[in-house]
Amino acid sequence: MTTLADLPLRSDLVGRTAYGAPQLTVPVALNVNENTHPVPADVADDIVGRIRTALLEVNRYPDREFTALREALAGYLGAGLDASWIWAANGSNEVIQHVLQAFGGPGRTVLGFPPTYSMHSIIAASTSTRWVTAERDADFTISPETAVAAIERERPDLVFLCAPNNPTGTPVPLETIAAAYDATDGMVFVDEAYGEFMPADAPSALTLLPGRERLIVSRTMSKAFAFAGARVGYLAADPAVTDAMRLVRLPYHLSALTQAAALGALAHAPEMLRMVDDICVQRDRTAAGLAGLGFRVWPSWTNFLLFGGVEDPAGLWRALLDRGVLIRDLAIPGCLRVSAGTAAETDAFLTAIAEVSGRAPVGSRP
Ligand code: PMP
């Protein structure tokens, strides 16, 4: 059998591992921070109508500038942005790739703060950008001083901040982002994939954009909009940054069908986002349930939770899977991550973990 070792692979990819969250068909899938609530039927009907219209013209290339979509995204974000500040791609993973293609590459470095979203370092590798890391403070936080010290030490071309952070759920204060920006001449990329799950009064890094032309804030429709399968991510940044994106994207990278579907979803934004509140309720229920079983739960501003105090993460992960509940083992010692689901999925997870961990709720212990 031919293996990678038999191929003339680029030397800097030798020994790398691909993104590999297991994709399994299980009754309760809480492993990749999806929105487990389906798209409402009336929204789906509208989207199907729009896709039908687009399909009748797919003999032509789509609008390469996805102008209507950029306008709709700017309108959705508000913050005084117009379409010239918006870029979009097939998921925010592709947005990250465009950013690293334009501002990273051979001889350049990107600074990250693990544990963080695994694709940041994987896309760094695939774009030949060197991934350098710095320690977080206690409880996975990053203070302005910690960010500045790491930037002064590493002098990176890009700084990646995941805010709130995956897989820990930890927020990043705007002071940290602003201090990081001031400490570097490079690009500062803030991944706000979970931005809509932040407390309503918590300011987004979008508010920092005016006057900061090296700051990029990315978002996705995969999480709050329940649109992971449609693949739509986007960023907001100075129009000069979107011009840089045009240098590296493939022409017509956003299909006409994707653009039509995303426009349909955005036209129903309030209805699509109605589930966000319930997801946060289920997240907090899950946190309380886990804490009640004696696990350590980190505060989360996202649709998932990192919990610790797990003696055998791989064993617990497997035992839950055997009961039809799939969560995520990210190889963080003593920890597992679980996404917030529907009320029924939350019940199923909490029941299963109480059974398989052999723990009784705190307070009811003998
Ligand atoms: N950023 C973060 C922090 C994520 O957790 C994810 C998905 N898990 C993404 C980006 C990528 O999402 P997508 O490509 O679906 O937009």
Side-chain angles (χ1 to χ4, degrees):
M1 198 186 76
T2 308
T3 69
L4 270 183
D6 302 313
L7 300 175
L9 190 65
R10 226 171 66 197
S11 62
D12 60 327
L13 293 180
V14 172
R16 298 272 175 189
T17 40
Y19 177 82
Q23 268 200 311
L24 306 172
T25 306
V26 289
V28 181
L30 299 175
N31 64 326
V32 283
N33 303 339
E34 290 154 336
N35 186 327
T36 65
H37 300 58
V39 172
D42 61 318
V43 182
D45 287 344
D46 184 20
I47 292 174
V48 169
R50 290 167 185 259
I51 290 179
R52 185 182 188 284
T53 306
L55 200 59
L56 295 173
E57 287 182 23
V58 283
N59 54 312
R60 302 288 182 188
Y61 284 111
D63 173 11
R64 199 171 53 213
E65 285 294 309
F66 43 100
T67 312
L69 179 56
R70 285 191 295 122
E71 281 165 1
L73 288 167
Y76 166 67
L77 287 180
L81 300 169
D82 66 32
S84 67
W85 287 69
I86 306 293
W87 184 251
N90 296 282
S92 49
N93 283 333
E94 193 180 44
V95 169
I96 296 165
Q97 187 178 52
H98 287 167
V99 168
L100 285 169
Q101 282 178 316
F103 298 109
R108 295 202 166 190
T109 57
V110 51
L111 170 67
F113 295 82
T116 193
Y117 178 44
S118 61
M119 284 307 297
H120 290 171
S121 55
I122 292 174
I123 302 172
S126 69
T127 58
S128 300
T129 314
R130 195 159 67 86
W131 172 250
V132 295
T133 60
E135 299 267 319
R136 290 170 175 263
D137 302 315
D139 289 334
F140 304 118
T141 57
I142 309 174
S143 69
E145 296 74 28
T146 295
V148 170
I151 290 165
E152 286 177 351
R153 189 177 67 244
E154 300 292 347
R155 308 220 149 273
D157 299 283
L158 298 108
V159 180
F160 270 30
L161 293 165
C162 191
N165 187 48
N166 178 9
T168 61
T170 324
V172 181
L174 290 195
E175 295 73 35
T176 296
I177 297 167
Y181 186 90
D182 290 341
T184 179
D185 293 333
M187 303 301 291
V188 175
F189 178 83
V190 181
D191 186 335
E192 278 195 356
Y194 301 95
E196 287 93 344
F197 298 98
M198 301 198 297
D201 57 354
S204 156
L206 292 167
T207 58
L208 294 177
L209 283 173
R212 291 186 176 87
E213 67 284 352
R214 292 175 289 103
L215 179 64
I216 301 174
V217 182
S218 85
R219 291 279 185 107
T220 181
M221 293 185 72
S222 294
K223 312 294 178 181
F225 272 90
F227 230 47
R231 312 303 301 128
V232 186
Y234 53 101
L235 64 72
D238 190 278
V241 173
T242 58
D243 277 343
M245 303 294 95
R246 288 182 179 87
L247 298 176
V248 294
R249 62 97 178 273
L250 296 175
Y252 317 109
H253 68 291
L254 268 186
S255 88
L257 307 184
T258 304
Q259 294 184 41
L263 279 167
L266 286 161
H268 297 271
E271 191 177 350
M272 294 289 276
L273 294 175
R274 209 165 289 149
M275 338 160 191
V276 166
D277 289 344
D278 182 53
I279 293 166
C280 292
V281 168
Q282 301 309 325
R283 174 197 67 201
D284 295 344
R285 262 189 73 210
T286 307
L290 286 168
L293 292 172
F295 291 106
R296 171 162 189 206
V297 187
W298 278 274
S300 171
W301 279 17
T302 63
N303 67 341
F304 58 83
L305 293 161
L306 185 75
F307 61 99
V310 184
E311 281 120 52
D312 174 13
L316 183 59
W317 180 85
R318 181 80 243 173
L320 288 169
L321 183 56
D322 291 342
R323 280 178 165 66
V325 180
L326 178 60
I327 65 167
R328 192 84 189 271
D329 180 2
L330 289 146
I332 301 175
C335 295
L336 289 169
R337 191 193 69 191
V338 61
S339 311
T342 60
E345 288 165 334
T346 304
D347 291 342
F349 167 70
L350 289 174
T351 305
I353 196 164
E355 278 171 24
V356 302
S357 66
R359 297 183 184 213
V362 172
S364 68
R365 288 183 181 167

